Amino acid sequence: MANLNKSISDTAVRLGEVRFSYCNVFTPRRNPDGTQGKYSVCVIIPKSNTEAVKLFSQAYENARALGKVSKWGGKIPAKVTLPLHDGDEERPDDPAFENCWYFNCSSNNAPGVRVRDELGQVVEALDDSDFYSGCYGAVTINMFPYANNGNSGVGIGLNNLIKLRDGERLSGGRSADADFSDLN
Protein backbone atom coordinates (compact mmCIF):
# COMPACT_ATOMS: atom_id res chain seq x y z
CA MET A 1 0.00 0.00 0.00
CA ALA A 2 1.24 3.48 -0.83
CA ASN A 3 2.13 5.90 1.93
CA LEU A 4 -1.15 7.40 3.08
CA ASN A 5 0.40 10.49 4.66
CA LYS A 6 0.86 13.28 2.16
CA SER A 7 1.09 17.05 2.03
CA ILE A 8 -1.39 18.40 -0.51
CA SER A 9 -0.65 22.13 -0.10
CA ASP A 10 0.77 24.40 2.59
CA THR A 11 -2.38 23.99 4.70
CA ALA A 12 -3.91 20.75 3.38
CA VAL A 13 -2.85 17.17 4.17
CA ARG A 14 -3.90 13.56 3.74
CA LEU A 15 -3.52 11.50 6.91
CA GLY A 16 -3.75 7.73 7.30
CA GLU A 17 -4.04 5.13 8.58
CA VAL A 18 -6.40 6.72 11.08
CA ARG A 19 -9.57 5.63 12.83
CA PHE A 20 -12.85 7.49 12.62
CA SER A 21 -15.30 8.28 15.41
CA TYR A 22 -18.42 10.42 15.81
CA CYS A 23 -19.05 10.15 12.06
CA ASN A 24 -21.58 12.58 10.62
CA VAL A 25 -20.47 12.27 7.02
CA PHE A 26 -23.72 11.37 5.22
CA THR A 27 -26.03 13.74 7.11
CA PRO A 28 -24.95 16.89 8.93
CA ARG A 29 -25.43 17.05 12.67
CA ARG A 30 -28.31 19.17 13.89
CA ASN A 31 -27.46 22.19 16.00
CA PRO A 32 -29.02 22.38 19.48
CA ASP A 33 -31.43 25.03 18.18
CA GLY A 34 -32.66 22.62 15.48
CA THR A 35 -30.95 24.30 12.55
CA GLN A 36 -28.79 22.35 10.15
CA GLY A 37 -25.27 21.86 11.40
CA LYS A 38 -22.13 20.63 9.73
CA TYR A 39 -20.75 17.36 8.45
CA SER A 40 -18.10 16.24 10.92
CA VAL A 41 -15.85 13.47 12.13
CA CYS A 42 -13.35 12.87 14.92
CA VAL A 43 -10.05 11.58 13.52
CA ILE A 44 -7.94 9.34 15.78
CA ILE A 45 -4.22 9.05 14.95
CA PRO A 46 -2.04 6.41 16.63
CA LYS A 47 0.90 8.06 18.38
CA SER A 48 3.14 5.67 16.44
CA ASN A 49 2.16 7.50 13.21
CA THR A 50 4.68 10.28 13.75
CA GLU A 51 4.69 11.22 10.07
CA ALA A 52 0.96 12.09 10.19
CA VAL A 53 1.47 14.19 13.32
CA LYS A 54 4.39 16.00 11.69
CA LEU A 55 2.33 16.81 8.55
CA PHE A 56 -0.63 17.93 10.70
CA SER A 57 1.61 20.20 12.78
CA GLN A 58 3.25 21.73 9.70
CA ALA A 59 -0.11 22.50 8.06
CA TYR A 60 -1.22 24.08 11.34
CA GLU A 61 1.89 26.26 11.53
CA ASN A 62 1.37 27.33 7.91
CA ALA A 63 -2.26 28.27 8.69
CA ARG A 64 -1.10 30.29 11.72
CA ALA A 65 1.42 32.14 9.55
CA LEU A 66 -1.32 32.83 7.00
CA GLY A 67 -3.62 34.10 9.75
CA LYS A 68 -0.96 36.42 11.09
CA VAL A 69 -0.84 38.13 7.70
CA SER A 70 -4.46 37.87 6.54
CA LYS A 71 -6.69 37.75 9.65
CA TRP A 72 -4.98 38.81 12.85
CA GLY A 73 -3.32 42.16 12.10
CA GLY A 74 0.29 41.02 12.04
CA LYS A 75 0.33 39.03 15.28
CA ILE A 76 -0.77 35.58 16.37
CA PRO A 77 -3.35 35.66 19.20
CA ALA A 78 -2.15 33.99 22.42
CA LYS A 79 -5.11 31.61 22.61
CA VAL A 80 -4.50 30.02 19.18
CA THR A 81 -3.26 26.55 20.09
CA LEU A 82 -2.65 23.32 18.23
CA PRO A 83 -6.05 21.59 17.79
CA LEU A 84 -4.50 18.13 18.30
CA HIS A 85 -5.54 16.46 21.56
CA ASP A 86 -3.84 13.73 23.57
CA GLY A 87 -6.29 10.84 23.98
CA ASP A 88 -4.41 9.47 27.01
CA GLU A 89 -4.87 12.77 28.87
CA GLU A 90 -8.26 13.95 27.66
CA ARG A 91 -10.07 10.60 27.30
CA PRO A 92 -8.29 8.25 29.72
CA ASP A 93 -11.34 5.99 30.14
CA ASP A 94 -11.95 5.44 26.42
CA PRO A 95 -9.86 2.59 24.95
CA ALA A 96 -10.45 3.87 21.38
CA PHE A 97 -8.30 6.93 22.23
CA GLU A 98 -5.57 5.06 24.12
CA ASN A 99 -2.05 5.86 22.88
CA CYS A 100 -3.55 8.15 20.23
CA TRP A 101 -3.89 11.78 19.22
CA TYR A 102 -7.23 13.09 17.94
CA PHE A 103 -8.85 16.12 16.35
CA ASN A 104 -12.28 17.11 15.11
CA CYS A 105 -12.97 18.49 11.66
CA SER A 106 -16.10 19.67 9.90
CA SER A 107 -17.54 21.15 6.73
CA ASN A 108 -20.70 22.87 5.55
CA ASN A 109 -20.45 20.72 2.42
CA ALA A 110 -20.79 16.95 2.25
CA PRO A 111 -17.36 15.29 2.12
CA GLY A 112 -16.49 12.75 -0.52
CA VAL A 113 -16.72 9.35 1.17
CA ARG A 114 -15.11 6.34 -0.47
CA VAL A 115 -14.46 2.70 0.41
CA ARG A 116 -11.78 0.33 -0.85
CA ASP A 117 -13.70 -2.87 -1.59
CA GLU A 118 -12.53 -6.49 -1.35
CA LEU A 119 -11.09 -6.31 -4.88
CA GLY A 120 -9.07 -3.19 -4.09
CA GLN A 121 -11.36 -0.91 -6.11
CA VAL A 122 -12.24 2.51 -4.71
CA VAL A 123 -16.01 3.00 -4.76
CA GLU A 124 -18.41 5.54 -3.31
CA ALA A 125 -19.67 4.75 0.18
CA LEU A 126 -23.45 4.66 0.20
CA ASP A 127 -24.38 4.89 3.87
CA ASP A 128 -23.26 4.22 7.42
CA SER A 129 -23.04 0.50 6.80
CA ASP A 130 -20.15 1.27 4.41
CA PHE A 131 -18.46 4.00 6.51
CA TYR A 132 -18.99 4.15 10.28
CA SER A 133 -17.47 5.12 13.62
CA GLY A 134 -14.71 2.59 14.25
CA CYS A 135 -13.53 1.96 10.69
CA TYR A 136 -9.97 2.74 9.56
CA GLY A 137 -8.80 4.75 6.57
CA ALA A 138 -7.46 8.10 5.44
CA VAL A 139 -8.77 11.66 5.53
CA THR A 140 -7.95 14.87 3.69
CA ILE A 141 -8.26 18.10 5.65
CA ASN A 142 -7.50 21.78 5.15
CA MET A 143 -6.51 24.12 7.96
CA PHE A 144 -7.53 27.76 7.83
CA PRO A 145 -7.22 30.81 10.07
CA TYR A 146 -10.40 32.54 11.23
CA ALA A 147 -11.45 35.65 13.14
CA ASN A 148 -15.18 35.77 13.94
CA ASN A 149 -17.02 37.75 16.62
CA GLY A 150 -13.90 38.18 18.73
CA ASN A 151 -12.80 34.57 18.39
CA SER A 152 -9.61 33.76 16.54
CA GLY A 153 -8.05 30.45 15.74
CA VAL A 154 -7.21 27.77 13.21
CA GLY A 155 -10.08 25.63 12.00
CA ILE A 156 -9.88 22.22 10.38
CA GLY A 157 -12.00 21.71 7.29
CA LEU A 158 -13.12 18.20 6.39
CA ASN A 159 -12.56 17.43 2.71
CA ASN A 160 -12.68 13.70 1.89
CA LEU A 161 -12.51 10.29 3.57
CA ILE A 162 -11.81 6.72 2.55
CA LYS A 163 -12.41 3.53 4.51
CA LEU A 164 -9.57 1.09 3.96
CA ARG A 165 -10.57 -1.59 6.45
CA ASP A 166 -13.22 -2.47 8.97
CA GLY A 167 -12.86 -2.00 12.69
CA GLU A 168 -14.94 -2.63 15.77
CA ARG A 169 -17.88 -0.23 15.73
CA LEU A 170 -17.68 2.59 18.25
CA SER A 171 -21.44 3.02 18.44
CA GLY A 172 -21.61 2.67 22.19
CA GLY A 173 -24.47 0.20 21.93
CA ARG A 174 -24.84 -3.53 21.84
CA SER A 175 -26.03 -5.45 18.83
CA ALA A 176 -29.52 -6.95 18.72
CA ASP A 177 -27.90 -10.33 17.95
CA ALA A 178 -25.93 -10.16 21.20
CA ASP A 179 -28.92 -9.06 23.25
CA PHE A 180 -31.20 -11.83 21.95
CA SER A 181 -28.73 -14.66 21.24
CA ASP A 182 -30.14 -16.75 24.11
CA LEU A 183 -33.58 -16.81 22.43
CA ASN A 184 -32.44 -18.90 19.43
Coordinates of all heavy atoms in Angstrom, one line a residue, residues 5-16 18 43-45 49-64 81-85 101-105 139-144 154-157:
N5 N 0.1 9.1 4.2 CA 0.4 10.5 4.7 C 1.0 11.3 3.5 O 2.0 10.9 2.9 CB 1.4 10.5 5.9 CG 0.8 9.8 7.0 OD1 -0.4 10.0 7.4 ND2 1.5 8.8 7.6
K6 N 0.4 12.5 3.3 CA 0.9 13.3 2.2 C 0.5 14.7 2.4 O -0.6 15.0 2.8 CB 0.2 12.7 0.9 CG 0.5 13.5 -0.4 CD -0.2 12.9 -1.5 CE 0.0 13.7 -2.8 NZ -0.7 13.1 -3.9
S7 N 1.4 15.6 2.1 CA 1.1 17.1 2.0 C 0.4 17.4 0.7 O 1.0 17.0 -0.4 CB 2.4 17.9 2.2 OG 2.1 19.2 2.2
I8 N -0.7 18.0 0.7 CA -1.4 18.4 -0.5 C -1.1 19.8 -0.9 O -0.9 20.2 -2.1 CB -2.9 18.2 -0.3 CG1 -3.2 16.7 -0.1 CG2 -3.7 18.7 -1.6 CD1 -4.6 16.4 0.4
S9 N -1.0 20.7 0.1 CA -0.6 22.1 -0.1 C -0.1 22.6 1.2 O 0.1 21.8 2.1 CB -1.9 23.0 -0.5 OG -2.7 23.2 0.6
D10 N 0.2 23.9 1.3 CA 0.8 24.4 2.6 C -0.1 24.1 3.8 O 0.4 23.9 4.9 CB 1.0 25.9 2.5 CG 2.2 26.2 1.6 OD1 3.0 25.3 1.3 OD2 2.4 27.4 1.2
T11 N -1.4 24.1 3.6 CA -2.4 24.0 4.7 C -3.3 22.8 4.6 O -4.2 22.6 5.4 CB -3.3 25.2 4.8 OG1 -4.0 25.4 3.6 CG2 -2.4 26.5 5.2
A12 N -3.1 21.9 3.6 CA -3.9 20.7 3.4 C -3.1 19.5 3.4 O -2.0 19.5 2.8 CB -4.7 20.8 2.1
V13 N -3.6 18.4 4.1 CA -2.8 17.2 4.2 C -3.8 16.0 4.0 O -5.0 16.1 4.3 CB -2.1 17.1 5.5 CG1 -0.9 18.1 5.6 CG2 -3.0 17.2 6.7
R14 N -3.2 14.9 3.7 CA -3.9 13.6 3.7 C -3.2 12.8 4.8 O -2.0 12.6 4.9 CB -3.8 12.8 2.4 CG -4.5 11.5 2.4 CD -4.4 10.7 1.1 NE -3.0 10.3 0.9 CZ -2.6 10.0 -0.3 NH1 -3.4 10.0 -1.4 NH2 -1.3 9.6 -0.4
L15 N -4.0 12.2 5.8 CA -3.5 11.5 6.9 C -4.1 10.1 7.0 O -5.3 9.9 6.8 CB -3.9 12.2 8.2 CG -3.4 13.7 8.3 CD1 -4.0 14.3 9.6 CD2 -1.9 13.8 8.3
G16 N -3.3 9.1 7.2 CA -3.7 7.7 7.3 C -2.6 6.9 7.8 O -1.4 7.3 7.7
V18 N -5.8 6.1 9.9 CA -6.4 6.7 11.1 C -7.7 6.0 11.3 O -8.1 5.2 10.5 CB -6.7 8.2 10.9 CG1 -5.4 9.0 10.7 CG2 -7.7 8.4 9.7
V43 N -11.1 12.4 14.1 CA -10.1 11.6 13.5 C -9.1 11.2 14.6 O -8.5 12.0 15.3 CB -9.3 12.4 12.4 CG1 -8.2 11.6 11.8 CG2 -10.3 12.8 11.3
I44 N -8.8 9.9 14.7 CA -7.9 9.3 15.8 C -6.7 8.8 15.1 O -6.7 8.0 14.2 CB -8.6 8.2 16.5 CG1 -10.0 8.7 17.1 CG2 -7.7 7.6 17.6 CD1 -10.8 7.5 17.6
I45 N -5.5 9.4 15.5 CA -4.2 9.0 14.9 C -3.4 8.3 16.0 O -3.1 8.8 17.1 CB -3.4 10.3 14.5 CG1 -4.3 11.2 13.6 CG2 -2.1 9.9 13.9 CD1 -3.6 12.6 13.4
N49 N 2.2 6.9 14.5 CA 2.2 7.5 13.2 C 2.7 8.9 13.3 O 2.0 9.9 13.1 CB 0.7 7.5 12.6 CG 0.7 7.9 11.1 OD1 1.7 8.4 10.6 ND2 -0.4 7.6 10.5
T50 N 4.0 9.0 13.6 CA 4.7 10.3 13.8 C 4.7 11.1 12.5 O 4.7 12.3 12.6 CB 6.1 10.1 14.3 OG1 6.8 9.2 13.4 CG2 6.1 9.4 15.6
E51 N 4.7 10.5 11.3 CA 4.7 11.2 10.1 C 3.4 12.0 9.9 O 3.4 13.2 9.5 CB 4.9 10.3 8.9 CG 5.0 11.0 7.6 CD 5.2 10.1 6.4 OE1 5.2 8.9 6.5 OE2 5.4 10.7 5.3
A52 N 2.3 11.4 10.3 CA 1.0 12.1 10.2 C 0.9 13.3 11.1 O 0.5 14.4 10.8 CB -0.2 11.1 10.5
V53 N 1.4 13.1 12.3 CA 1.5 14.2 13.3 C 2.4 15.3 12.8 O 2.0 16.5 13.0 CB 1.9 13.7 14.7 CG1 2.1 14.8 15.7 CG2 0.9 12.7 15.2
K54 N 3.5 15.0 12.2 CA 4.4 16.0 11.7 C 3.7 16.8 10.6 O 3.8 18.0 10.5 CB 5.7 15.3 11.2 CG 6.7 16.3 10.6 CD 7.9 15.6 10.1 CE 8.9 16.5 9.4 NZ 10.0 15.9 8.9
L55 N 3.0 16.1 9.6 CA 2.3 16.8 8.6 C 1.2 17.7 9.1 O 1.0 18.8 8.6 CB 1.8 15.8 7.6 CG 2.8 15.1 6.6 CD1 2.1 14.0 5.9 CD2 3.4 16.1 5.7
F56 N 0.4 17.2 10.1 CA -0.6 17.9 10.7 C -0.1 19.2 11.3 O -0.6 20.3 11.1 CB -1.3 17.1 11.8 CG -2.5 17.7 12.5 CD1 -3.7 17.5 12.0 CD2 -2.2 18.5 13.6 CE1 -4.8 18.1 12.7 CE2 -3.3 19.1 14.2 CZ -4.6 18.9 13.8
S57 N 1.0 19.1 12.1 CA 1.6 20.2 12.8 C 2.1 21.2 11.8 O 2.0 22.4 12.0 CB 2.7 19.7 13.7 OG 2.2 18.9 14.7
Q58 N 2.7 20.8 10.7 CA 3.3 21.7 9.7 C 2.1 22.5 9.0 O 2.2 23.7 8.8 CB 4.1 21.0 8.7 CG 4.8 22.0 7.7 CD 5.7 22.9 8.4 OE1 6.6 22.5 9.1 NE2 5.5 24.2 8.2
A59 N 1.0 21.8 8.7 CA -0.1 22.5 8.1 C -0.7 23.5 9.0 O -1.1 24.6 8.6 CB -1.2 21.5 7.6
Y60 N -0.7 23.2 10.3 CA -1.2 24.1 11.3 C -0.3 25.3 11.4 O -0.8 26.5 11.5 CB -1.3 23.4 12.7 CG -1.5 24.3 13.9 CD1 -2.7 24.8 14.1 CD2 -0.4 24.7 14.7 CE1 -2.9 25.7 15.2 CE2 -0.6 25.5 15.7 CZ -1.8 26.1 16.0 OH -2.0 26.9 17.0
E61 N 1.0 25.1 11.5 CA 1.9 26.3 11.5 C 1.7 27.2 10.3 O 1.8 28.4 10.4 CB 3.3 25.8 11.7 CG 3.6 25.2 13.1 CD 3.4 26.2 14.2 OE1 3.6 27.4 14.1 OE2 3.0 25.7 15.3
N62 N 1.6 26.5 9.1 CA 1.4 27.3 7.9 C 0.1 28.1 8.0 O 0.0 29.3 7.5 CB 1.4 26.4 6.7 CG 2.8 25.8 6.4 OD1 3.8 26.3 6.9 ND2 2.8 24.7 5.7
A63 N -1.0 27.5 8.5 CA -2.3 28.3 8.7 C -2.1 29.4 9.7 O -2.7 30.5 9.5 CB -3.4 27.3 9.1
R64 N -1.4 29.2 10.8 CA -1.1 30.3 11.7 C -0.4 31.4 11.1 O -0.7 32.6 11.3 CB -0.3 29.8 12.9 CG -1.1 29.1 14.0 CD -0.3 28.5 15.1 NE 0.9 29.3 15.5 CZ 1.1 29.7 16.7 NH1 0.2 29.5 17.7 NH2 2.2 30.4 17.0
T81 N -4.1 27.7 19.7 CA -3.3 26.5 20.1 C -3.5 25.4 19.1 O -4.5 25.3 18.4 CB -3.6 26.1 21.5 OG1 -5.0 25.7 21.6 CG2 -3.3 27.1 22.5
L82 N -2.6 24.5 19.1 CA -2.7 23.3 18.2 C -3.9 22.5 18.5 O -4.1 22.1 19.7 CB -1.4 22.4 18.4 CG -1.3 21.2 17.5 CD1 -1.0 21.6 16.1 CD2 -0.1 20.3 18.0
P83 N -4.8 22.3 17.5 CA -6.1 21.6 17.8 C -5.9 20.1 17.8 O -6.8 19.3 17.4 CB -6.9 22.1 16.7 CG -6.0 22.4 15.6 CD -4.7 22.9 16.2
L84 N -4.8 19.6 18.2 CA -4.5 18.1 18.3 C -4.5 17.7 19.8 O -3.7 18.3 20.6 CB -3.2 17.8 17.6 CG -2.8 16.3 17.4 CD1 -3.8 15.7 16.5 CD2 -1.4 16.2 16.9
H85 N -5.3 16.8 20.2 CA -5.5 16.5 21.6 C -4.9 15.1 21.9 O -5.0 14.2 21.1 CB -7.0 16.4 21.9 CG -7.7 17.7 21.5 ND1 -7.6 18.9 22.2 CD2 -8.5 18.0 20.4 CE1 -8.4 19.8 21.6 NE2 -8.9 19.3 20.5
W101 N -3.5 10.4 19.3 CA -3.9 11.8 19.2 C -5.2 11.8 18.5 O -5.6 10.9 17.8 CB -2.9 12.5 18.4 CG -1.5 12.5 18.9 CD1 -0.4 11.7 18.4 CD2 -0.9 13.3 19.9 NE1 0.7 12.0 19.2 CE2 0.4 13.0 20.1 CE3 -1.5 14.3 20.8 CZ2 1.2 13.6 21.0 CZ3 -0.7 14.9 21.7 CH2 0.7 14.5 21.8
Y102 N -6.0 12.9 18.7 CA -7.2 13.1 17.9 C -7.5 14.6 17.7 O -7.0 15.4 18.4 CB -8.4 12.4 18.7 CG -8.9 13.1 19.9 CD1 -10.0 14.0 19.8 CD2 -8.3 12.9 21.1 CE1 -10.4 14.7 21.0 CE2 -8.7 13.5 22.3 CZ -9.8 14.4 22.2 OH -10.2 15.0 23.3
F103 N -8.3 14.8 16.7 CA -8.8 16.1 16.4 C -10.2 16.0 15.7 O -10.6 14.9 15.2 CB -7.9 16.9 15.4 CG -7.7 16.3 14.1 CD1 -8.6 16.7 13.0 CD2 -6.7 15.4 13.8 CE1 -8.4 16.1 11.7 CE2 -6.6 14.8 12.5 CZ -7.4 15.2 11.5
N104 N -11.0 17.1 15.7 CA -12.3 17.1 15.1 C -12.2 18.0 13.9 O -11.5 19.0 13.9 CB -13.3 17.7 16.1 CG -13.5 16.8 17.3 OD1 -13.8 15.6 17.2 ND2 -13.3 17.3 18.5
C105 N -12.9 17.7 12.9 CA -13.0 18.5 11.7 C -14.4 18.5 11.1 O -15.2 17.6 11.4 CB -12.0 18.0 10.6 SG -12.1 16.3 10.1
V139 N -8.0 10.4 5.6 CA -8.8 11.7 5.5 C -7.9 12.8 4.9 O -6.7 12.8 5.1 CB -9.3 12.1 6.9 CG1 -8.1 12.4 7.9 CG2 -10.2 13.2 6.9
T140 N -8.6 13.6 4.1 CA -8.0 14.9 3.7 C -8.6 16.0 4.4 O -9.9 16.1 4.5 CB -8.0 15.1 2.2 OG1 -9.4 15.1 1.7 CG2 -7.2 14.0 1.5
I141 N -7.8 16.9 4.9 CA -8.3 18.1 5.6 C -7.5 19.3 5.2 O -6.5 19.3 4.5 CB -8.0 17.9 7.2 CG1 -6.5 17.8 7.5 CG2 -8.9 16.8 7.7 CD1 -6.1 17.8 8.9
N142 N -8.1 20.5 5.5 CA -7.5 21.8 5.1 C -7.6 22.7 6.4 O -8.7 22.8 7.0 CB -8.2 22.5 4.0 CG -7.5 23.7 3.6 OD1 -6.3 23.7 3.3 ND2 -8.3 24.8 3.6
M143 N -6.5 23.2 6.8 CA -6.5 24.1 8.0 C -6.6 25.6 7.5 O -6.0 25.9 6.4 CB -5.3 23.9 8.8 CG -5.2 22.5 9.3 SD -4.2 22.4 10.8 CE -4.0 20.7 10.9
F144 N -7.3 26.4 8.2 CA -7.5 27.8 7.8 C -7.6 28.7 9.1 O -8.2 28.3 10.1 CB -8.8 27.9 7.0 CG -10.0 27.4 7.7 CD1 -10.8 28.2 8.5 CD2 -10.4 26.0 7.7 CE1 -11.9 27.8 9.2 CE2 -11.5 25.6 8.4 CZ -12.3 26.4 9.1
V154 N -7.4 28.6 14.4 CA -7.2 27.8 13.2 C -8.3 26.7 13.2 O -8.3 25.9 14.1 CB -5.8 27.2 13.2 CG1 -5.6 26.2 12.0 CG2 -4.8 28.3 13.1
G155 N -9.1 26.7 12.2 CA -10.1 25.6 12.0 C -9.6 24.5 11.1 O -8.6 24.7 10.4
I156 N -10.3 23.4 11.2 CA -9.9 22.2 10.4 C -11.1 21.8 9.5 O -12.1 21.4 10.0 CB -9.5 21.0 11.2 CG1 -8.4 21.4 12.2 CG2 -9.0 19.9 10.4 CD1 -8.0 20.3 13.2
G157 N -10.9 22.0 8.2 CA -12.0 21.7 7.3 C -11.9 20.3 6.8 O -10.8 19.8 6.5

